[in-house]
Amino acid sequence: MRYTNLQAGRFLAAAAVLAFHAAVHGADRLGVPTPAGDPVPAYLSRSGVVFFFVLSGFVLAHALQTQSLGRFVLARGLRLYPPFWVAAGGVVVVWWLTGVLPTVPA
C-alpha cells in the first residue's frame, strides 16, 4: 500500500526546507543574491523538518511491518544508494569540469 497523500506532504515539507536553505546559504556559498525577505520563514522550515521525519517514520514503520527485515533493508538500499552514487559522481564531474573545489569556511 502506498500513501500518495503522505508522500505529497513529505515532498512539500522537504521543499520548504530546501527553499529555506537556498535562501539562507545562496548568497554566502553561491554568490546568488537573496530575495527580499525569506521565501520560507525559519519556523516553517523547522516545522517542515519535523513533519517530514514524522511522516517518514510512519511510512517506513508500515513498510517494515509488511515485509521481512532482510527484504526491507535490501529494498531501502536499492532505493537509496544508486541515486546517492549518481549524485556524488555528478558533483565530482562538476568539480572536475569547473575546477572549483568546495571550501570550508574558517
Side-chain angles (χ1 to χ4, degrees):
M1 171 183 254
R2 293 193 55 95
Y3 295 102
T4 307
N5 291 339
L6 294 182
Q7 297 292 25
R10 287 173 62 194
F11 172 78
L12 292 174
V17 173
L18 179 66
F20 174 77
H21 281 90
V24 170
H25 299 292
D28 295 341
R29 305 240 173 165
L30 302 174
V32 176
T34 303
D38 289 335
V40 180
Y43 72 89
L44 284 179
S45 177
R46 285 190 292 271
S47 299
V49 170
V50 172
F51 187 62
F52 178 82
F53 280 109
V54 168
L55 288 179
S56 295
F58 175 79
V59 170
L60 290 176
H62 182 267
L64 185 55
Q65 290 177 347
T66 60
Q67 56 189 327
S68 70
L69 179 61
R71 188 164 179 86
F72 174 81
V73 171
L74 179 64
R76 291 298 116 192
L78 290 174
R79 183 174 178 172
L80 297 175
Y81 285 111
F84 168 77
W85 288 113
V86 168
V91 169
V92 170
V93 168
V94 168
W95 286 345
W96 182 71
L97 291 173
T98 62
V100 177
L101 296 176
T103 58
V104 178

